[in-house]
Amino acid sequence: MLNLADTPPLVATSDADSQRLIAADLRLLIAQIETSMRRIAAAMDQEHSNDPEGSADVFVLDDVTPRYASANAALNACRAGLGHALQCLSSESGNPA
């Protein structure tokens, strides 16, 4: 959970500066989401590499893939939303964010 108590208070800035700060925050969030998505992909790959291949006698009862896939889908939706927010911000200002 984030601790916002240590966050410095916001200072009044110009519209252009505010938009640049918001765009930078959105880009940072997108980068963090992409990092998490890469970690999920790596965890899924690791899970699948531990499965014995070619054995018809092995049944996996506790497959974690659906949880990873659900988490990845949620992160993908967040990334899309943040990308849209960044695009909206840049189109309002007339400048690329």
Side-chain angles (χ1 to χ4, degrees), residues 27-38:
R27 285 190 201 98
L28 178 63
L29 289 170
I30 290 169
Q32 289 173 334
I33 286 172
E34 289 172 345
T35 297
S36 294
M37 291 174 77
R38 284 191 297 274

Side-chain angles (χ1 to χ4, degrees), residues 37 40 44 64-78:
M37 291 174 77
I40 287 172
M44 288 175 67
V64 296
T65 301
R67 287 183 288 173
Y68 285 138
S70 295
N72 197 51
L75 288 172
N76 196 32
C78 285

Side-chain angles (χ1 to χ4, degrees):
M1 183 114 205
L2 294 175
N3 180 3
L4 297 178
D6 296 330
T7 303
L10 296 177
V11 178
T13 58
S14 70
D15 268 356
D17 287 342
S18 291
Q19 287 181 355
R20 281 193 287 274
L21 290 172
I22 293 167
D25 284 345
L26 292 172
R27 285 190 201 98
L28 178 63
L29 289 170
I30 290 169
Q32 289 173 334
I33 286 172
E34 289 172 345
T35 297
S36 294
M37 291 174 77
R38 284 191 297 274
R39 288 181 179 156
I40 287 172
M44 288 175 67
D45 288 346
Q46 185 177 1
E47 287 289 328
H48 290 296
S49 69
N50 291 337
D51 292 341
E53 292 184 26
S55 176
D57 298 332
V58 176
F59 296 96
V60 178
L61 298 177
D62 186 26
D63 189 5
V64 296
T65 301
R67 287 183 288 173
Y68 285 138
S70 295
N72 197 51
L75 288 172
N76 196 32
C78 285
R79 187 194 180 291
L82 290 169
H84 180 70
L86 186 59
Q87 184 180 19
C88 289
L89 184 65
S90 66
S91 66
E92 282 183 19
S93 67
N95 298 322

